[in-house]
Amino acid sequence: MNKSISLKSRPVGTPTLSNFEFKEVEKPQIKEGEVLLQLKFVSVDPYLRGRMSDAKSYIPPFELDKAISSGAIAEVVESKNDNYKVGDFVSGHLDWQEYQVSEGKNLLKVDGAQVSLSAYLGVLGMTGLTAYFGLSEIGKPKEGETIVVSGAAGAVGSVVGQIGKILGCRVIGIAGTDEKVEMLKSKFGFDEAINYNTTKDMQKAIAEASPDGVDVYFDNVGGEISDAVHANINRFGRVVVCGAISMYNATEVPMGPRVQGFLVKQSALMQGFIVGNYQEKFPEGMKQLVTWLQEGKLTYEETRVQGFDNIPNAFLQLFEGKNKGKMIVEI
Amino acid sequence: MNKSISLKSRPVGTPTLSNFEFKEVEKPQIKEGEVLLQLKFVSVDPYLRGRMSDAKSYIPPFELDKAISSGAIAEVVESKNDNYKVGDFVSGHLDWQEYQVSEGKNLLKVDGAQVSLSAYLGVLGMTGLTAYFGLSEIGKPKEGETIVVSGAAGAVGSVVGQIGKILGCRVIGIAGTDEKVEMLKSKFGFDEAINYNTTKDMQKAIAEASPDGVDVYFDNVGGEISDAVHANINRFGRVVVCGAISMYNATEVPMGPRVQGFLVKQSALMQGFIVGNYQEKFPEGMKQLVTWLQEGKLTYEETRVQGFDNIPNAFLQLFEGKNKGKMIVEI
């Protein structure tokens, strides 16, 4: 028995369970040079929404009726490849399928002795690197500057805020529940945190939390929250456009205040990126994140959902903000 | 008799003549160390609209009932300053007043022997430097890349396009009349030019003119023209946000499609600037522009309006796109 999850139909607006198909497929046989992998942890991330539509983007869309894929940790359960032995754990971009064959390329061996294996999907994986490179390569915060982070309680945002503190900045987080706001301050060391669901005037709240204005805005959400931050951007401010979860399920192009005004007035920058742009620097980024983690300067939060069949549910919950930190499915 | 023009009231929406006041003031006397200047050429520029409102910006607003000021060329008609003699011509930020006193600071001596004196307000002045630094410092075009310029027939745009050609790029201009479109191609060497007033589907027209996509967009206008260019931006594209003339007279914040989507998808950049950011590099920029001008690689166009009393009219005509190249008032 080998379960697999594929895309049945392309979501229009907010995805639902009906967009996914649960199949049973044969457990595959491996050939010389291959390994058989058993999924252990699956990462679900907002960017996967983009791959479910067939609009042109930086990665090709998922194909209908084929297994969906994402970052995952698996155990090697059979091996005809000298580089891997049974019992090894690997991180890679894998199918949502319990057992799958790999030629061993593009897999990274991971070790659960020091940190949880799932950390390689979060703080030591794609989301940690996204935070690290987005902030260091685009945000370029200087000591004493003010950083605002939206989606601050998420996998990327919580790492961005902590790096900001390590670098000596004032850090303001924006999140959607009081519990998250509390976590940002007590667990992650943010200077201030704002609950956008209970704050009437976000522009004013950000201004009050940022008496010296906002030098770097690390944006994971887009939409009206971002409009409110833009209004507080300092001269030579930098807006790191990492994601726009508030816009991913829109069925029409979302409209908002045009940005040219504040960009010219403040000589400000907005720059989009994907973590893959910095692939050559991944080892450097990983080394820094591991060091901070070992020094106790960096911590992380996970929301774990149990069971292979719940991968789509966990994905859908991202859009309801159900996760604190990295959303992980444990198989 | 010494005429002066001041701001009578702050314009709401499109400025009109009624916002300006024509006064007669005394012809001033100079003291030791001062010079008396007589205005010769006055530069009117879209950015002055921003100074007429009292919204916070990168330069303080004009004060009501005080002379308006802008870039200008004047002749020294009396001098008690050893650095200037009668008959010298100077460029500086001067009042809209026929005769005015200066201590000689922040004035640049200019020589009309090689080029028209008014060129120091355009291709060899603020607008030329704006084109040069916006393109070189933010756009960073590489040989073979495609540059799109909006407001291409204006003072900045026409220089941007020519520099793009000097650097070996494909250059597409956007302008508002067939006459301007013709001038972009025949006089300034643009590869293609598009009349936005007669083109139904701008996004498609830009796509057709840019078979390899758009690497650099030098934006002088904002609004729907820019939306159409953004839709054609390549991966790692750069949008140089120089101005947004289509938005300057808006009475509410103009709305448009949110930009986060294309910024992330294309890992693209939008950056606003003002030429003053590069003040330390002005000598380098001037040297390059003069060299290109002398080599015949760079040319320029002027629209001249005659007479001191017509300064406000010339300014108002900018928003109707009446100018080709630099708008200059000759006193």
Side-chain angles (χ1 to χ4, degrees), chain A residues 175-186:
Chain A
T177 69
D178 286 344
E179 197 189 346
K180 287 179 180 176
V181 158
E182 178 52 33
M183 178 184 76
L184 291 178
K185 291 193 278 191
S186 59

Side-chain angles (χ1 to χ4, degrees), chain A residues 56-58 223 227 235-236 241 253-258 260 263-265 267-274 277, chain B residues 56-58 223 227 235-236 241 253-258 260 263-265 267-274 277:
Chain A
K56 189 188 152 202
S57 189
Y58 53 88
D227 302 337
R235 193 150 155 69
F236 300 121
V241 188
V253 180
M255 303 291 275
R258 292 186 179 278
Q260 285 88 350
L263 290 177
V264 173
K265 274 188 189 171
S267 292
L269 169 150
M270 287 181 86
Q271 187 168 352
F273 77 106
I274 57 168
N277 299 348
Chain B
K56 189 188 153 201
S57 190
Y58 53 88
D227 302 339
R235 193 151 155 68
F236 300 122
V241 188
V253 180
M255 304 290 276
R258 291 185 180 278
Q260 286 89 349
L263 291 177
V264 173
K265 276 188 186 167
S267 291
L269 170 150
M270 288 180 86
Q271 188 167 351
F273 76 106
I274 57 168
N277 299 348

